[in-house]
Amino acid sequence: MQNNIFTTMRSLKIMDGCKGTQVFAINPSGTTTTTTNNGSSGGGVGDKLLHHLQDHLRVNSTRSRSSRSSLSFQSPNPVGNNLVLETLLPYGLPSSDLLEPQIEPSLKSVDFVETLADVYRRIDHCPQFEKSKMYMEQCAIFRGLSDPKLFRRSLRSARQHAVDVHTKVVLAAWLRYERREDELIGSSAMDCCGRNVECPKASLVSGYDPESAFESCMCSRAPGGEEDDTPRREEDDTPRGEEDDDDFVMVGDEECSTSEEDGNMSFCIGDAEVRCVRYKIASLSTPFYAMLYGNFKERRREKINFTQNGISVEAMRAVEIFSRTKRVDYFDVRIVLDLLSFANRFCCDDMKSACDSHLASLVCELEDAMLLIDYGLEETAHLLVAACLQVFLRELPSSLHNPHMMRLFCNSEARQRLTMAGHASFILYYFLSQIAMEEDMRSNTTVMLLERLGECATESWQKQLAFHQLGVVMLERKEYKDAQWWFEAAVEVGHIYSLVGVARAKFKRGHKYAAYKQMNSLISDYTPVGWMYQDRSLYCIGKEKMMDLTTATQLDPTLSYPYKLRAVCLLEENQIEAGITEINKIISFKVSPDCLELRAWFSIALEDFEGALRDVRALLTLDPNYMMFHGKMHGDHLVELLRPLVQQWSQADCWMQLYDRWSSVDDIGSLAVVHHMLANDPGKSLLRFRQSLLLLRLNCQKAAMHSLRLARNHSGSEHERLVYEGWILYDTGHREEALAKAEESISIQRSFEAFFLKAYALADSSLDSESSTYVIQLLEEALRCPSDGLRKGQALNNLGSVYVDSDKLDLAADCYTNALNIKHTRAHQGLARVYHLKNHRKAAYDEMTKLIEKARNNASAYEKRSEYCDRDMAKNDLSTATQLDPLRTYPYRYRAAVLMDDHKEAEAIEELSKAISFKPDLQLLHLRGAFHESMGDFVSTVRDCEAALCLDPNHADTHDLYAKARERVNEQLK
């Protein structure tokens, strides 16, 4: 299997030719022991410790007692120290009655492959000007998937094909929000880093130009990265005629003619006269032309009384100047606002456009936007409102808590005002409502924004999304009647998944049998999928409940609720170790705060306080604000309660612990150690960086990017900051910019991380001989720079990978051996590959066995070892890999290929379909499409190819297969 350095470098994953999701976790050691750190057994804790705990929790004693009266605590270990356990578990143990699967607040299809294929077809065939809307629908579909890159790619495509200013403003702000640059110290909301699709200035320019998305914006071309928007007056900009200099006055920094000889009429405002040129004023609008040259009496008058028209003398003079210069940048903001109002009243389109454009150019900060947006809405100044809206949106999420902003968006009257100005749209409220749901799903603001979203919905998918999300929010607010109404509304417009919400709302209202019938009907009417059985299990009892949970896991092993429910049921039967084993099954490949919380809960019950503290620290890394025990205790508080019960480590001890856990591929344990170290040294950027690497390995991309941004913010030097900025850019798809940051960092100071970043970014492509040599040089330079064993082991491992690709096997073996000498355990895999290429298959197998022994529950290691053994042993290893991590796709593809070789086509298709039903993967879809083609089912091939191309429109092999299959379908139709 050809190695690709891109899959092995900074992500620190074991090389995986299948590129599946990889999560390493090991079963917690000592989960069955009750020995504490002072050497006593049975949970014995000294008196001082008990007093410490009692003092620590005295403030919560009243709340604890009241909670225990409603949710009784049952100690699974009667000889344990009940006082300690009650202190740590003031709200008792988890109950199966309180567990429910979450209803996903996103579009969900009963036939996801067909949905993907349909979206791809419609995008491919829709007019260019309509593509932006189609990509937004694709965004909504991808929102429910675990890979945020798919969503961001669709969002970028939507912005790329946007035509109008409003859409550009919203999507540019949304793209920026997805990168969360607001977390970077020193960044401005109006920064765009030279990217045209995110540039606030480019967004205010109407028109269709998809190619501009690949260009840098004007900001990056101006000196200092800022473009000067100040209008420059050329010599012939202002018509001066033959007047002498005395006939000119300064308005702002400009000269304007005031010669009496120019004027042939006057507007009288009070006692003042404003001399004007009649035909110039008449040219401002049709009403003025009719007044001054039509059948009105004003056509014969040299002086026209304008006192009652609500305009000041200063503003009227500005009107006169504009009538000759067609410019408003002479005037201060107050005068321009008067001109805007005047232009609206007298239909002066050119003047309104000039005022609108000029005022829009002045909006740079939130304070400006708050001052000007009401004027823009009142005068329906489209560009001004866009500029103000843009500042609000680019300040999210903080601006969501601005009362003035919410007044502009939340109620129906506000939406109507935005509509009049051309700025109320589905995508605007989609953006706002998603952020509001992330901030606080139960808030009134969230409800109002979702109601406006529903009002703006016109297409079927938009209504489905808005109504379904309203149902989810109402369910969270325990407004069950309203929740049922909204879910039913979503079903009526075609969202079948909302039937789950209908059933849940009925159940909450006391109609359990009706809920069961609802889910039973859903399973009967459609091809069953895991979530259907998962939700039906809520309305069953006993063996029927467990059967539904088993079926749900068989159909979709990634659903966490069945594991959690089975684990808690085992706990209720006092089988706590078995409960931990059950919850470990999903933690081994899908780490989430709720599952870590449950395992911590169990560990406390077993008095495994080290295991509990490990899990609480890890979950706080994923979600620093997590509330434990049904939202009743902050995770940080539980950490403080557990700390006295475990061995105390110095910072040096922590580094040793981190080294051991990192080497044994214990990512959750490593996260916990880093969390401990950061508690002592929160400004340590290196630790934040380590944290981001671990989170990436665990496929927690959002948390990983947050840690990386914190690493950048706490950088102690310029060269270090540039490296972290480079990684941020690389992880968000900006490879060239990442390379530039690495080179800039190296120019300041040579460092391990800068060379490593540059090598990694360069290796993100197919390497030719010359490129490989350069990457080798960079890695060698990195190894010459100071660093620790953890990172040097990674660099040696990566260097070995490049040597293997360059067919320098002996040098590769040396690198892997050196990496193993400093306990870089993953190097076993590289060394195994070297043995395999040297035809030492048994040695390769043995090397992978060593890795499996050191890194327990390592699905990748079993998967890789399968390449170095016979078919039967390979099947066993791949079966183990699938049990440990059902998200890995290679085992399914291998088994399907073997079945095809044995002419068991239907079984091969079924093997792939089983995985596709819960993981619509590009490679799986492509392979199934190829199998369909070999069987002559070209219609199914076309569908699978379209679904695959929806996930990756640039996949060349799928394009070729798609073209052939479509040609055969067309031939059959003739």
Side-chain angles (χ1 to χ4, degrees):
M1 184 178 295
Q2 183 66 23
N3 180 50
N4 184 347
I5 193 174
F6 173 58
T7 65
T8 64
M9 295 183 84
R10 189 178 65 94
S11 65
L12 304 185
K13 296 181 179 179
I14 297 179
M15 288 179 295
D16 171 22
C18 304
K19 297 183 181 178
T21 303
Q22 175 172 345
V23 177
F24 302 95
I26 63 174
N27 284 328
S29 60
T31 52
T32 60
T33 183
T34 58
T35 302
T36 58
N37 294 318
N38 63 3
S40 61
S41 60
V45 181
D47 291 339
K48 290 183 179 179
L49 179 57
L50 291 178
H51 290 310
H52 174 86
L53 287 170
Q54 289 168 349
D55 291 341
H56 201 87
L57 281 185
R58 186 170 291 118
V59 294
N60 291 327
S61 60
T62 303
R63 185 180 179 188
S64 300
R65 286 193 295 271
S66 63
S67 299
R68 284 195 293 275
S69 65
S70 61
L71 194 140
S72 61
F73 171 75
Q74 296 179 348
S75 174
N77 183 4
V79 299
N81 193 313
N82 289 334
L83 180 57
V84 175
L85 291 179
E86 288 191 15
T87 302
L88 293 171
L89 296 172
Y91 307 105
L93 289 170
S95 168
S96 57
D97 294 335
L98 298 178
L99 287 180
E100 289 184 1
Q102 181 187 14
I103 296 178
E104 296 181 28
S106 55
L107 293 179
K108 197 175 183 73
S109 173
V110 293
D111 187 350
F112 193 62
V113 172
E114 181 54 43
T115 298
L116 291 176
D118 176 62
V119 168
Y120 177 79
R121 284 193 298 270
R122 289 187 289 126
I123 289 175
D124 197 37
H125 294 99
C126 78
Q128 290 294 318
F129 289 170
E130 298 296 320
K131 283 190 181 292
S132 184
K133 293 181 181 178
M134 284 303 310
Y135 280 117
M136 282 309 303
E137 181 176 353
Q138 190 182 58
C139 281
I141 292 168
F142 286 161
R143 191 69 170 179
L145 299 182
S146 59
D147 187 357
K149 292 180 181 178
L150 290 172
F151 176 81
R152 288 198 295 264
R153 191 199 71 208
S154 292
L155 196 64
R156 181 181 175 87
S157 296
R159 167 62 184 89
Q160 177 184 343
H161 290 88
V163 179
D164 60 282
V165 166
H166 172 77
T167 302
K168 290 181 178 182
V169 162
V170 175
L171 294 180
W174 201 337
L175 281 169
R176 185 182 184 278
Y177 175 79
E178 284 297 311
R179 291 192 293 110
R180 292 309 302 263
E181 286 216 350
D182 62 291
E183 293 184 3
L184 296 180
I185 294 174
S187 68
S188 165
M190 304 306 282
D191 287 344
C192 58
C193 302
R195 303 183 189 98
N196 219 24
V197 291
E198 296 180 32
C199 179
K201 296 175 184 176
S203 298
L204 294 176
V205 179
S206 181
Y208 182 72
D209 185 13
E211 295 304 317
S212 66
F214 305 102
E215 301 173 358
S216 59
C217 67
M218 294 301 296
C219 300
S220 62
R221 303 171 204 169
E226 296 291 336
E227 184 183 14
D228 188 356
D229 274 345
T230 306
R232 301 299 181 188
R233 174 179 173 272
E234 302 296 337
E235 287 301 318
D236 57 348
D237 273 353
T238 304
R240 297 176 61 140
E242 301 298 325
E243 297 85 1
D244 296 327
D245 289 343
D246 291 341
D247 293 326
F248 285 82
V249 298
M250 298 299 294
V251 180
D253 294 327
E254 301 288 340
E255 297 174 339
C256 293
S257 170
T258 59
S259 172
E260 291 288 326
E261 297 177 4
D262 284 349
N264 53 12
M265 61 160 292
S266 299
F267 284 100
C268 300
I269 301 172
D271 295 332
E273 288 187 22
V274 179
R275 199 71 174 160
C276 302
V277 179
R278 182 179 290 268
Y279 83 88
K280 292 284 188 183
I281 298 296
S283 69
L284 292 177
S285 69
T286 300
F288 269 122
Y289 185 87
M291 180 178 71
L292 297 177
Y293 288 102
N295 295 323
F296 294 92
K297 57 186 178 182
E298 283 82 2
R299 67 175 295 185
R300 300 184 181 87
R301 293 183 176 176
E302 182 179 345
K303 295 184 179 182
I304 299 173
N305 189 348
F306 236 52
T307 303
Q308 302 303 317
N309 281 285
I311 186 170
S312 66
V313 175
E314 294 85 351
M316 195 64 222
R317 285 175 179 153
V319 170
E320 188 279 326
I321 293 171
F322 177 83
S323 71
R324 291 181 292 105
T325 65
K326 304 301 180 186
R327 291 170 59 181
V328 298
D329 49 284
Y330 304 110
F331 316 115
D332 62 31
V333 174
R334 180 181 59 82
I335 295 298
V336 178
L337 289 171
D338 286 344
L339 288 181
L340 178 62
S341 178
F342 180 90
N344 252 343
R345 193 177 309 129
F346 292 99
C347 305
C348 304
D349 294 339
D350 290 344
M351 184 187 295
K352 180 177 180 178
S353 178
C355 293
D356 193 9
S357 179
H358 177 66
L359 290 169
S361 71
L362 302 178
V363 182
C364 297
E365 298 178 355
L366 190 58
E367 184 178 355
D368 302 328
M370 292 173 63
L371 288 171
L372 292 173
I373 193 166
D374 283 323
Y375 288 100
L377 290 170
E378 184 68 27
E379 303 298 341
T380 63
H382 178 75
L383 211 56
L384 174 57
V385 174
C388 296
L389 184 64
Q390 178 164 250
V391 174
F392 285 140
L393 297 180
R394 295 174 78 94
E395 291 279 0
L396 287 167
S398 61
S399 56
L400 191 69
H401 306 289
N402 185 311
H404 182 76
M405 177 183 176
M406 289 301 97
R407 181 174 59 82
L408 295 168
F409 295 119
C410 284
N411 58 56
S412 293
E413 293 76 12
R415 185 188 67 81
Q416 291 170 3
R417 292 182 75 199
L418 285 168
T419 301
M420 293 293 293
H423 286 287
S425 69
F426 181 85
I427 62 167
L428 170 64
Y429 283 103
Y430 186 19
F431 181 26
L432 291 171
S433 62
Q434 298 315 293
I435 299 175
M437 290 175 73
E438 289 177 14
E439 294 284 301
D440 184 0
M441 187 173 282
R442 298 181 181 89
S443 71
N444 291 334
T445 295
T446 301
V447 173
M448 289 188 285
L449 288 172
L450 284 171
E451 287 174 344
R452 305 294 83 75
L453 181 70
E455 292 169 0
C456 292
T458 55
E459 300 179 31
S460 175
W461 73 269
Q462 295 174 344
K463 294 176 182 178
Q464 290 177 28
L465 181 64
F467 299 161
H468 178 73
Q469 290 188 336
L470 273 164
V472 170
V473 168
M474 292 302 177
L475 198 66
E476 285 288 318
R477 288 162 62 97
K478 300 183 179 180
E479 299 175 21
Y480 301 126
K481 186 175 181 180
D482 287 342
Q484 182 176 335
W485 192 92
W486 284 114
F487 282 130
E488 288 173 345
V491 173
E492 287 179 11
V493 291
H495 194 234
I496 304 303
Y497 177 64
S498 291
L499 286 170
V500 171
V502 175
R504 190 74 60 86
K506 288 179 178 178
F507 173 63
K508 293 293 186 181
R509 298 178 68 193
H511 309 303
K512 185 175 181 178
Y513 182 63
Y516 176 84
K517 286 179 61 179
Q518 184 84 70
M519 293 308 302
N520 209 42
S521 175
L522 184 61
I523 291 171
S524 301
D525 294 343
Y526 298 94
T527 302
V529 289
W531 52 263
M532 295 180 184
Y533 287 94
Q534 171 183 265
D535 273 81
R536 192 176 72 172
S537 72
L538 276 176
Y539 319 123
C540 307
I541 58 173
K543 291 183 179 179
E544 188 178 356
K545 186 184 194 75
M546 289 302 163
M547 286 175 60
D548 271 358
L549 290 173
T550 299
T551 304
T553 299
Q554 290 171 349
L555 293 173
D556 186 353
T558 67
L559 295 171
S560 62
Y561 171 74
Y563 300 95
K564 292 167 62 178
L565 196 283
R566 286 190 292 262
V568 173
C569 287
L570 288 166
L571 169 73
E572 291 173 339
E573 296 171 359
N574 280 339
Q575 300 181 50
I576 305 179
E577 293 91 344
I580 289 178
T581 300
E582 181 65 27
I583 203 65
N584 280 342
K585 292 177 183 178
I586 190 162
I587 290 176
S588 67
F589 68 91
K590 185 180 178 182
V591 179
S592 62
D594 58 329
C595 291
L596 288 171
E597 176 196 17
L598 198 59
R599 192 167 73 177
W601 219 330
F602 292 176
S603 296
I604 293 172
L606 279 177
E607 300 182 50
D608 175 16
F609 302 126
E610 287 189 0
L613 184 57
R614 171 204 61 207
D615 287 342
V616 177
R617 286 191 182 279
L619 77 83
L620 287 173
T621 303
L622 298 175
D623 184 355
N625 299 313
Y626 195 83
M627 299 294 291
M628 307 281 293
F629 308 144
H630 307 301
K632 296 176 181 177
M633 179 188 291
H634 197 287
D636 284 332
H637 185 56
L638 186 57
V639 168
E640 292 304 310
L641 296 179
L642 287 167
R643 283 181 60 198
L645 299 171
V646 301
Q647 181 179 353
Q648 301 302 301
W649 294 336
S650 67
Q651 201 75 342
D653 294 330
C654 287
W655 274 109
M656 293 301 297
Q657 293 290 334
L658 177 60
Y659 198 98
D660 289 343
R661 283 159 175 73
W662 195 290
S663 299
S664 62
V665 199
D666 178 9
D667 293 331
I668 292 176
S670 298
L671 269 186
V673 175
V674 172
H675 184 273
H676 185 179
M677 297 169 78
L678 283 168
N680 298 328
D681 190 1
K684 191 76 171 179
S685 60
L686 176 62
L687 291 175
R688 295 288 183 187
F689 182 55
R690 299 268 190 247
Q691 194 177 65
S692 73
L693 298 176
L694 288 162
L695 289 165
L696 281 177
R697 282 219 307 252
L698 292 168
N699 202 31
C700 302
Q701 297 184 33
K702 184 177 180 181
M705 289 302 296
H706 176 69
S707 294
L708 197 49
R709 287 189 287 269
L710 289 176
R712 180 266 189 194
N713 288 345
H714 290 103
S715 299
S717 62
E718 177 70 7
H719 73 89
E720 187 182 18
R721 180 182 63 80
L722 288 166
V723 169
Y724 298 142
E725 287 180 356
W727 282 123
I728 291 171
L729 288 165
Y730 179 82
D731 286 341
T732 52
H734 302 284
R735 175 176 170 272
E736 297 300 326
E737 295 174 63
L739 276 171
K741 292 287 184 182
E743 290 168 356
E744 188 179 353
S745 178
I746 291 169
S747 70
I748 298 172
Q749 181 172 319
R750 297 161 61 84
S751 69
F752 175 92
E753 293 297 349
F755 282 115
F756 194 90
L757 168 61
K758 187 173 181 180
Y760 189 80
L762 284 172
D764 182 13
S765 61
S766 298
L767 291 176
D768 55 25
S769 176
E770 184 178 350
S771 299
S772 295
T773 301
Y774 187 40
V775 170
I776 288 170
Q777 292 173 357
L778 290 170
L779 288 171
E780 288 175 342
E781 288 292 338
L783 288 166
R784 293 189 188 100
C785 297
S787 187
D788 57 73
L790 298 175
R791 292 300 275 162
K792 290 211 169 183
Q794 183 61 43
L796 285 165
N797 194 63
N798 294 336
L799 185 56
S801 299
V802 183
Y803 279 137
V804 168
D805 288 341
S806 303
D807 202 28
K808 299 175 180 179
L809 300 183
D810 291 336
L811 289 173
D814 289 341
C815 286
Y816 292 131
T817 302
N818 289 333
L820 288 171
N821 288 337
I822 54 176
K823 295 187 177 181
H824 187 76
T825 309
R826 293 171 184 83
H828 281 298
Q829 183 165 313
L831 194 55
R833 184 161 178 251
V834 171
Y835 288 143
H836 177 64
L837 292 172
K838 289 184 173 183
N839 294 319
H840 303 322
R841 199 173 183 190
K842 176 65 167 58
Y845 182 89
D846 292 342
E847 201 65 36
M848 289 308 302
T849 301
K850 294 177 184 178
L851 176 57
I852 289 170
E853 292 170 351
K854 291 181 180 178
R856 290 175 294 164
N857 289 0
N858 191 333
S860 174
Y862 280 105
E863 180 183 291
K864 191 67 179 176
R865 192 176 72 170
S866 70
E867 297 181 33
Y868 310 134
C869 51
D870 59 38
R871 177 179 283 196
D872 289 339
M873 294 177 69
K875 285 183 178 179
N876 291 334
D877 274 355
L878 291 175
S879 177
T880 302
T882 297
Q883 289 174 10
L884 295 174
D885 184 357
L887 288 171
R888 303 190 69 80
T889 62
Y890 173 74
Y892 301 100
R893 289 188 281 140
Y894 176 89
R895 289 188 289 263
V898 170
L899 289 167
M900 284 296 287
D901 288 343
D902 294 340
H903 304 289
K904 298 178 180 179
E905 291 87 355
E907 293 177 46
I909 295 290
E910 183 181 355
E911 179 68 23
L912 293 174
S913 300
K914 180 170 61 177
I916 289 171
S917 65
F918 62 85
K919 183 178 174 61
D921 174 78
L922 171 69
Q923 297 292 342
L924 292 172
L925 287 165
H926 175 84
L927 186 59
R928 191 173 74 172
F931 285 0
H932 281 306
E933 184 202 33
S934 69
M935 298 165 62
D937 186 357
F938 302 111
V939 173
S940 295
T941 300
V942 167
R943 179 205 58 201
D944 284 347
C945 287
E946 287 171 338
L949 291 171
C950 188
L951 296 172
D952 183 0
N954 299 315
H955 194 255
D957 290 343
T958 303
H959 269 294
D960 293 341
L961 180 61
Y962 183 44
K964 293 176 185 176
R966 285 199 350 184
E967 186 177 344
R968 296 301 296 274
V969 169
N970 292 334
E971 289 175 359
Q972 291 176 349
L973 292 175
K974 290 181 181 178

